[in-house]
Amino acid sequence: MTEKMTGRGCRDGQGNAERKHMIDQEKIRKAVKLLLEGIGEDPDREGLLETPDRVARMYGEIFAGMYGDVSEPLSKVFTADYNEMVMEKDITFYSMCEHHMMPFYGKAHIAYVPEGKVLGLSKLARTVEIYAGRLQIQERMTGQIADAIMEHLAPRGVMVMLEAEHLCMTMRGVRKPGSRTVSVAARGIFGQDGAMQDRFFQMLGRDGKPF
């Protein structure tokens, strides 16, 4: 649970300014039309005439995290004389697997121990939203969230757990609907103290266990 993930928060955000507004909807429209032709459909039939445009607009929404900057939500901090664990759990997220470009979705659970600063209540959810809005793998996303919080908030420690269903293995391939993938990233005191990890799971109602 203490392994280090690649892709730190602010470093992952470098180049965001250049990427901003680079979702090319015209290319997406052309690609969707080719895809429809590739599966044997007629892109000019009535039901599909507007599909390329719909998909292009949809991609603009679901990949908005491509140009999101986590330093924005994670800069909303407040001084607080509080050094106990803070947890936000059951944060719903939707993301896209980079291997098959199919959705994976689930819940994120985040806890941190402050060091004189606490985050605004919605900022952890916003951070999850930004990282989810990119082509992802769950393991990388888990580490990115943890590292970004460590870097921008500088808490004593942070722990992140993602639970998700991946359509690339439930809708296709082995076709096992209902199966969940669980990933955990522990930083700071959470990576050094097993009792802190147990407390994390207890606060989730897991009796010290991730399942």
Side-chain angles (χ1 to χ4, degrees):
M1 294 181 183
T2 59
E3 67 269 21
K4 185 72 172 177
M5 301 286 183
T6 58
R8 296 196 53 163
C10 74
R11 286 170 175 75
D12 182 77
Q14 285 180 350
N16 280 338
E18 290 123 13
R19 286 204 306 266
K20 193 168 185 179
H21 305 310
M22 284 185 66
I23 291 181
D24 190 327
Q25 295 205 349
E26 180 57 32
K27 284 185 178 180
I28 295 172
R29 284 190 284 268
K30 290 178 180 177
V32 172
K33 186 173 182 179
L34 285 173
L35 178 61
L36 291 170
E37 292 172 350
I39 65 173
E41 265 289 2
D42 176 9
D44 294 321
R45 72 176 175 86
E46 183 182 7
L48 296 175
L49 277 174
E50 297 181 28
T51 295
D53 190 54
R54 292 190 189 99
V55 174
R57 293 197 307 270
M58 177 188 72
Y59 275 16
E61 291 180 35
I62 65 178
F63 291 120
M66 289 290 294
Y67 46 83
D69 185 353
V70 295
S71 66
E72 294 175 13
L74 293 178
S75 67
K76 306 299 183 183
V77 298
F78 304 93
T79 301
D81 184 16
Y82 185 82
N83 60 3
E84 298 294 330
M85 189 187 304
V86 178
M87 173 179 283
E88 188 164 346
K89 61 183 180 178
D90 296 325
I91 303 168
T92 300
F93 71 87
Y94 299 88
S95 191
M96 294 286 278
C97 172
E98 66 184 37
H99 299 145
H100 294 93
M101 291 187 69
M102 293 187 72
F104 66 96
Y105 59 93
K107 303 285 188 179
H109 316 291
I110 305 172
Y112 69 94
V113 177
E115 187 73 274
K117 295 183 294 183
V118 296
L119 282 166
L121 289 177
S122 66
K123 307 312 175 187
L124 292 176
R126 178 60 181 146
T127 299
V128 172
E129 184 180 65
I130 289 172
Y131 281 121
R134 307 174 181 186
L135 285 175
Q136 277 287 13
I137 62 172
Q138 182 175 332
E139 298 89 342
R140 180 202 299 137
M141 180 176 157
T142 309
Q144 286 175 331
I145 295 167
D147 289 334
I149 296 168
M150 284 296 290
E151 185 155 358
H152 292 283
L153 184 62
R156 295 178 60 206
V158 63
M159 191 159 174
V160 177
M161 175 172 150
L162 302 187
E163 303 175 279
E165 181 168 341
H166 293 246
L167 291 190
C168 60
M169 69 169 287
T170 64
M171 183 179 173
R172 59 161 296 282
V174 296
R175 291 187 173 89
K176 298 297 180 185
S179 62
R180 292 179 301 155
T181 299
V182 180
S183 53
V184 177
R187 303 288 186 265
I189 60 173
F190 285 98
Q192 302 158 8
D193 187 346
M196 291 295 295
Q197 295 187 10
D198 289 344
R199 188 177 172 198
F200 174 90
F201 292 122
Q202 288 165 2
M203 289 179 71
L204 282 179
R206 306 299 174 84
D207 294 323
K209 298 179 181 179
F211 297 99

